[in-house]
Amino acid sequence: KIMSELLDEWIKCQQSWLYLEPIFSSEDIVKQMPTEGRRFELVDKHWRNVMSTVTKNANVLKVCSREGLLSSFVRINSEIDLIQKGLSDYLETKRSFFPRFYFLSNEEMLSILSQTRDPTAVQPHLNKCFENIYRLRFNDKQEIDAMLSEEGETVDFSTIVVPSASVEVWLLQVEKTMKQSLQQIIADSVVDYARKGRDDWVLS
């Protein structure tokens, strides 16, 4: 029975570690989630120590009879539960601020949030957040000055958006600028309609 309980806890720890390790390998994520980052350090240390010991002695009976091993896995899995809850709360906070993040999976969000120093990391996920938006155009200063559709149409922004450290903040500004830019284009087209012939107006 003890061996069965140990293996259950062991497998649970292994699966969680495989999921969390790439996430907390990112300095950006650790910086944003320091408490969970410290907890994962403990989990990571425990997992590596156990696996190092098992590598040296692969006899399952001897490994499973180690005093305190089961209780240590139970304790570490409790830490993992707290980490995963913190991670879930963290993602929910981001989604509450920028609701279009609800269109993305946790993995897709973490892919963006783990690369906050690279604003172009959002590019592969834009079409899920915004209908038919294929790319944002970044200038030489890494500022956003236009949006592009999948058909190759380009809409220049009325104001430039400067990405900040918090991706949800500047994406909200992008959304606002998209609307403002389209409103300005429509207003300009109404004025042009009175000045140009219909054919020229349509083609311009």
Side-chain angles (χ1 to χ4, degrees):
K1 182 181 178 181
I2 293 177
M3 183 181 294
S4 176
E5 290 177 0
L6 174 58
L7 290 176
D8 287 343
E9 296 292 335
W10 195 316
I11 291 170
K12 179 182 177 182
C13 181
Q14 179 183 30
Q15 291 173 337
S16 299
W17 182 86
L18 288 170
Y19 173 72
L20 294 171
E21 197 275 336
I23 296 172
F24 287 96
S25 292
S26 165
E27 291 182 9
D28 288 343
I29 292 291
V30 173
K31 191 179 296 183
Q32 296 172 72
M33 303 181 65
T35 301
E36 286 74 15
R38 287 191 293 272
R39 284 195 169 116
F40 183 74
E41 282 184 16
L42 294 175
V43 171
D44 187 60
K45 183 179 179 179
H46 174 270
W47 176 253
R48 292 181 187 277
N49 285 343
V50 169
M51 295 311 296
S52 175
T53 301
V54 170
T55 300
K56 295 173 185 175
N57 184 359
N59 186 301
V60 66
L61 293 177
K62 289 184 178 180
V63 170
C64 290
S65 62
R66 279 182 57 195
E67 185 177 352
L69 185 60
L70 174 58
S71 61
S72 69
F73 266 116
V74 171
R75 185 181 72 256
I76 288 300
N77 281 332
S78 295
E79 289 292 317
I80 287 173
D81 289 340
L82 292 174
I83 294 170
Q84 291 179 326
K85 183 182 184 305
L87 186 60
S88 178
D89 291 344
Y90 168 72
L91 294 179
E92 185 60 30
T93 300
K94 299 292 184 181
R95 287 181 169 124
S96 296
F97 193 91
F98 183 64
R100 289 177 183 268
F101 273 155
Y102 282 107
F103 295 127
L104 302 181
S105 67
N106 287 352
E107 287 71 23
E108 289 168 329
M109 276 192 65
L110 289 167
S111 172
I112 295 172
L113 296 170
S114 65
Q115 305 176 72
T116 54
R117 285 171 289 186
D118 178 16
T120 61
V122 305
Q123 298 280 43
H125 312 290
L126 282 172
N127 61 349
K128 286 189 176 182
C129 293
F130 301 100
E131 183 73 24
N132 203 38
I133 299 299
Y134 178 63
R135 285 286 188 271
L136 295 173
R137 189 175 69 195
F138 289 81
N139 61 24
D140 295 338
K141 297 178 181 179
Q142 287 294 80
E143 300 167 332
I144 304 165
D145 60 12
M147 57 182 172
L148 289 74
S149 73
E150 291 193 59
E151 291 76 25
E153 298 171 307
T154 300
V155 175
D156 292 326
F157 282 172
S158 55
T159 56
I160 286 177
V161 177
V162 181
S164 61
S166 299
V167 63
E168 70 277 12
V169 173
W170 65 260
L171 276 176
L172 198 63
Q173 184 60 40
V174 165
E175 181 181 20
K176 181 180 178 181
T177 304
M178 286 177 173
K179 295 175 182 178
Q180 291 175 337
S181 301
L182 290 174
Q183 288 170 351
Q184 186 61 52
I185 289 171
I186 292 170
D188 291 343
S189 71
V190 171
V191 174
D192 279 351
Y193 187 75
R195 298 175 179 173
K196 299 179 180 179
R198 183 175 178 81
D199 289 347
D200 290 339
W201 178 78
V202 171
L203 294 173
S204 65

